[in-house]
Amino acid sequence: MATASEKPSARAGGSRARSPRMSGRERREQLVMIGRSVFAQKGYDATSVEEIAARAQVSKPIVYEHFGGKEGLYAVIVDRETSTLLGALEAALDDHRAHPRTLMERAALAFLTYIDEREDGFRILVRDSPATHQGGSYSTLLGDVAAKVESILTAQLRLRRYTAADAALYAQMLVGMVAFTGQWWLETRIPAKEDVAARMVNLSWFGLGALQKDPQLRGK
């Protein structure tokens, strides 16, 4: 007669251990976190619902139940990351009493802090979105930030008797510098983000401080 230890177990046969029971909200958040990690590592095309479900220790229908599929999960993640980054940048720029250079410093540091603290999210944002994705993109987000910077530059250019018509162009240049430098810094992490922010503002601020009113190419 078999002892208790020899009796067949209900888990015998190599069946997968079930994930701990979660509320619907907890399960949704778990899938978002796992999905964000996988999308960041592999990109959209190489990520599968099967892998996300396996990592979460749930069945594929659970993922479909919450998000309708891979595209739905991806859209939720991108929308969340876009809102987080844009919110941080808007908060950094939303102080009308602060000196413009201080605003630039805050915005640059906010951008680098987001990269530092949400690396997976940033990697997803800077990847090319799938053709089926209809939500906001990284370029759209940067355009929103540039519009905010443009309003600040307009006031500063007028104050210094420069044409305000150049504000949109300079805003694109400044935001592009911060965004591209941030992508480079993501892979190096040297120097510290505070030093990177200080140097970006040093270049941009003193460049703006010595602007020529009618710049011409010297090689013409």
Side-chain angles (χ1 to χ4, degrees):
M1 182 173 179
T3 65
S5 61
E6 295 171 334
K7 290 180 180 179
S9 170
R11 293 184 179 180
S15 61
R16 184 175 60 192
R18 296 181 63 84
S19 175
R21 190 168 186 83
M22 297 182 180
S23 68
R25 178 177 296 182
E26 290 172 336
R27 179 66 70 197
R28 183 179 176 86
E29 186 64 22
Q30 181 209 30
L31 292 171
V32 167
M33 297 299 291
I34 290 173
R36 188 175 70 172
S37 176
V38 179
F39 282 128
Q41 292 172 9
K42 297 189 171 184
Y44 180 84
D45 291 336
T47 296
S48 66
V49 171
E50 288 85 351
E51 180 170 1
I52 293 170
R55 292 197 187 193
Q57 296 184 340
V58 298
S59 63
K60 285 169 55 179
I62 295 296
V63 180
Y64 286 104
E65 176 185 336
H66 282 280
F67 302 101
K70 182 173 75 169
E71 182 183 349
L73 175 57
Y74 178 86
V76 168
I77 293 169
V78 169
D79 288 345
R80 178 181 293 191
E81 295 305 318
T82 299
S83 297
T84 299
L85 178 52
L86 184 58
L89 293 171
E90 287 183 337
L93 294 169
D94 190 21
D95 185 352
H96 300 296
R97 297 171 297 177
H99 191 280
R101 179 175 177 178
T102 300
L103 293 177
M104 292 173 64
E105 290 175 349
R106 291 175 181 172
L109 189 56
F111 194 93
L112 293 169
T113 297
Y114 168 83
I115 295 173
D116 191 33
E117 297 179 352
R118 301 179 72 92
E119 177 180 330
D120 283 350
F122 185 69
R123 289 188 184 280
I124 292 171
L125 289 182
V126 298
R127 288 180 185 272
D128 290 334
S129 298
T132 55
H133 180 58
Q134 301 298 318
S137 65
Y138 183 58
S139 59
T140 301
L141 180 148
L142 295 181
D144 292 341
V145 176
K148 185 79 173 179
V149 173
E150 179 183 346
S151 66
I152 296 172
L153 288 179
T154 297
Q156 291 301 309
L157 289 171
R158 285 174 175 165
L159 183 64
R160 290 163 173 78
R161 300 183 183 280
Y162 291 92
T163 174
D166 290 338
L169 177 60
Y170 287 130
Q172 293 290 334
M173 293 176 180
L174 288 172
V175 172
M177 177 178 70
V178 174
F180 191 77
T181 303
Q183 289 179 245
W184 168 82
W185 184 76
L186 172 65
E187 306 300 339
T188 64
R189 300 303 179 96
I190 298 173
K193 61 186 177 183
E194 292 81 5
D195 293 333
V196 177
R199 281 163 173 73
M200 282 195 292
V201 174
N202 184 44
L203 174 62
S204 57
W205 181 255
F206 286 103
L208 288 171
L211 281 179
Q212 295 177 325
K213 292 188 177 181
D214 185 24
Q216 300 290 327
L217 295 177
R218 304 184 87 182
K220 287 182 63 175

